[in-house]
Amino acid sequence: MKLPLMISENLDKISEEHWKKYYDLPQGEWNRKIEEGLWRRTQEFNTRRQSGWKNLDDKRRRMIHYLHTYDLVNNELGTKDLALIETYVWIHLCFPSSEINEYSNNIREALIKGDWLKDLDYIDEKGSHEVYLKDSLNYKLSFLDSHPEDIKQNRIYPEDYCILELTITSSNFKVPSEIQKKPWDVFNKGQRKRDFRGKPIIVDDLKDVLDYFPAQVELGCGPSIEAGIPALNFLHDVYYVTDKKENKFILGAKEDKLAYDIALNTENIYKLFTTMYKSCFFAEPTRFHKILKLFTDKNLIVGPIITNNFDGLPLKLGLEENYVRRYEEQHIIPEINFHPEAKSLIVIGSHADRRKIHAAARNSGKKLLYIDPEGYFINDIFKEYQLEDPQDGDIIFKETSVNAFDKILEKLVSEKIINDEEVANLMK
């Protein structure tokens, strides 16, 4: 596979301007040209239902960390293409040696079938590394009896366990030390502990809606899904993280085909990798986002939109964002300075762990209103998916984001806070 890999050709001027305005200059500390993902899946007592843990010898571990970098590149027609220009995929496998052998044999077979060439110039005196080359990519296999990070943390694994690390990068990509360190920082903090839900109040209408405004808003992926962007669990399928049907971690060479697919079907799997970024870039604000903008213009919504989403849809309407998605447990939430005029925090379609934001909002005297259907449809069957962190006295309005905001809009029109003309202008 040659880089740059074109994912959308001949961008129109509107798309070019959007890129220049929001992507060429990183927003705060977040570089929007980079798509990042990080997962850890481990066998331990607390994950026994998902991981198949049965006894103390079950310590299988799988971690994935990726960074894909995108940019606009010139084409022969004098226009711009959106392209993947750089990639880094790191896959860590800690398994019994027989399973590591199965992994490595499968991967070597795929590398041969995929026309990768072994780098004979790569010098490895210990014989614990193999490097393969193909067009613009390097594919490195590293075999370890134990990992320095485990030794530092005094982690002990069964004697027959060993480690295989796979690193797939663009040819000239040098992995910064902070990138190598990041998944271990996450892993060393331990498994996330579920929050304990209190006794929130479930409502089917918001007759006292005015009590919540002015409000600050936190957005989860619910509104993004309504805009046609895949749910985050789409990435769980692409990177073989979790079996959604069985709600099980994918741990083992028979089910885990990520490294194999990269070796055998390189360009096809990379096009799949780019699906989420491409969907986010081209998605358009929905009716929900436009109502959100109207509420902001009327000072009913105040402060920046606190968001877990990387689609930037509020930005397309000129709204300010505060991006809070984090991977490190101790930094899972940056400090939030809530708007002093906000009476409440309205949390919309968010199942990410943002308990610290919500606790800070309660501690600052703000009401918590969750807008979420608490479930989703699979083949016309509703599957319940409860919010985790609502507490006593919090309100849950069980609706989708657009339906809820339409009902709130209707109430505000009846109270003559918003007029009919403003409603008519919404979709123009």
Side-chain angles (χ1 to χ4, degrees):
M1 183 185 84
K2 294 182 180 179
L3 295 177
L5 176 67
M6 306 307 166
I7 64 172
S8 185
E9 299 180 355
N10 299 320
L11 297 186
D12 59 29
K13 290 299 181 184
I14 293 175
S15 297
E16 278 191 46
E17 288 304 314
H18 180 67
W19 181 271
K20 290 176 184 176
K21 188 172 183 179
Y22 298 114
Y23 290 75
D24 264 344
L25 297 175
Q27 302 293 302
E29 64 184 56
W30 176 37
N31 185 349
R32 292 172 61 84
K33 290 184 178 182
I34 296 176
E35 177 192 358
E36 180 179 19
L38 195 163
W39 295 279
R40 56 181 175 182
R41 291 295 182 263
T42 58
Q43 277 189 316
E44 51 191 276
F45 176 78
N46 290 334
T47 65
R48 60 195 181 279
R49 290 186 180 85
Q50 294 89 9
S51 69
W53 181 95
K54 293 178 182 176
N55 57 57
L56 294 176
D57 286 334
D58 287 335
K59 289 194 172 184
R60 289 169 181 82
R61 176 176 71 198
R62 182 168 176 256
M63 294 190 284
I64 303 164
H65 187 205
Y66 74 82
L67 295 113
H68 302 314
T69 304
Y70 299 83
D71 210 338
L72 300 191
V73 298
N74 296 320
N75 61 32
E76 295 177 352
L77 300 175
T79 58
K80 304 281 189 183
D81 297 336
L82 177 60
L84 174 72
I85 63 166
E86 196 169 69
T87 183
Y88 167 74
V89 180
W90 176 81
I91 305 166
H92 171 95
L93 306 165
C94 179
F95 286 81
S97 58
S98 60
E99 297 176 34
I100 290 294
N101 288 337
E102 184 180 3
Y103 263 112
S104 58
N105 290 338
N106 289 349
I107 292 165
R108 289 191 186 104
E109 177 188 337
L111 288 165
I112 293 169
K113 289 181 178 178
D115 295 326
W116 293 73
L117 297 176
K118 193 168 186 178
D119 185 1
L120 300 178
D121 294 328
Y122 183 81
I123 299 173
D124 177 24
E125 294 178 357
K126 295 182 179 179
S128 57
H129 302 281
E130 300 171 16
V131 174
Y132 295 81
L133 309 175
K134 182 179 181 179
D135 297 327
S136 304
L137 298 181
N138 294 353
Y139 196 126
K140 183 177 182 180
L141 290 76
S142 302
F143 298 87
L144 301 89
D145 292 327
S146 58
H147 200 284
E149 289 290 336
D150 290 328
I151 294 170
K152 270 195 250 178
Q153 299 293 326
N154 295 315
R155 283 189 287 262
I156 306 298
Y157 284 80
E159 286 187 7
D160 68 328
Y161 271 55
C162 58
I163 291 166
L164 171 60
E165 288 188 343
L166 308 157
T167 309
I168 301 94
T169 65
S170 346
S171 299
N172 298 318
F173 185 78
K174 304 298 181 188
V175 187
S177 58
E178 64 269 20
I179 296 300
Q180 297 179 52
K181 188 172 177 286
K182 190 170 188 176
W184 292 104
D185 286 344
V186 172
F187 181 73
N188 290 339
K189 294 298 176 272
Q191 197 71 24
R192 187 186 78 87
K193 296 178 175 62
R194 286 184 60 83
D195 203 359
F196 292 99
R197 177 167 166 144
K199 296 180 180 178
I201 301 165
I202 311 295
V203 300
D204 54 13
D205 67 69
L206 289 173
K207 58 179 181 294
D208 300 321
V209 68
L210 296 183
D211 293 345
Y212 296 93
F213 292 103
Q216 196 153 0
V217 164
E218 176 194 332
L219 291 185
C221 69
S224 302
I225 293 170
E226 292 173 7
I229 294 169
L232 286 177
N233 59 24
F234 164 79
L235 295 175
H236 288 196
D237 289 339
V238 172
Y239 289 90
Y240 293 90
V241 178
T242 304
D243 183 333
K244 286 188 295 191
K245 289 182 180 178
E246 301 295 330
N247 191 27
K248 302 286 186 185
F249 296 166
I250 293 177
L251 294 168
K254 288 184 175 60
E255 299 83 13
D256 173 16
K257 299 297 183 184
L258 177 59
Y260 182 89
D261 282 351
I262 294 173
L264 183 62
N265 303 305
T266 313
E267 188 161 333
N268 287 339
I269 194 70
Y270 264 93
K271 286 180 178 178
L272 192 58
F273 288 166
T274 65
T275 300
M276 180 66 81
Y277 194 90
K278 182 179 178 181
S279 296
C280 289
F281 181 70
F282 287 107
E284 291 295 332
T286 64
R287 178 176 175 83
F288 161 80
H289 294 98
K290 292 177 180 180
I291 297 174
L292 180 66
K293 174 70 163 61
L294 173 59
F295 288 179
T296 303
D297 291 344
K298 301 291 287 187
N299 293 318
L300 295 163
I301 302 295
V302 292
I305 306 300
I306 301 165
T307 183
N308 303 298
N309 305 330
F310 35 76
D311 52 49
L313 286 172
L315 295 175
K316 289 189 174 183
L317 293 173
L319 298 175
E320 183 184 355
E321 285 188 345
N322 182 358
Y323 183 68
V324 295
R325 187 173 182 80
R326 298 292 187 274
Y327 294 102
E328 303 93 326
E329 190 77 15
Q330 75 273 35
H331 301 308
I332 198 164
I333 294 303
E335 184 176 352
I336 300 293
N337 296 314
F338 295 102
H339 195 284
E341 294 178 15
K343 294 181 183 177
S344 69
L345 176 65
I346 302 178
V347 182
I348 303 171
S350 177
H351 285 256
D353 186 348
R354 300 296 175 254
R355 69 184 82 173
K356 292 182 182 178
I357 285 182
H358 306 158
R362 294 184 195 99
N363 291 337
S364 65
K366 303 192 188 306
K367 301 173 184 176
L368 263 290
L369 169 61
Y370 294 83
I371 293 175
D372 196 286
E374 292 208 285
Y376 52 90
F377 284 94
I378 298 179
N379 298 325
D380 296 326
I381 299 172
F382 187 77
K383 184 176 177 62
E384 189 175 90
Y385 183 24
Q386 275 200 337
L387 294 164
E388 188 177 303
D389 76 348
Q391 299 301 307
D392 297 358
D394 294 346
I395 304 295
I396 299 179
F397 186 28
K398 286 197 173 188
E399 274 288 4
T400 62
S401 56
V402 67
N403 287 348
F405 262 42
D406 264 329
K407 290 179 179 180
I408 293 172
L409 177 62
E410 185 179 347
K411 181 69 173 176
L412 294 174
V413 169
S414 71
E415 296 287 341
K416 303 196 181 304
I417 294 171
I418 292 175
N419 62 49
D420 291 336
E421 183 179 355
E422 289 168 322
V423 175
N425 288 334
L426 266 179
M427 300 309 289
K428 287 184 178 178

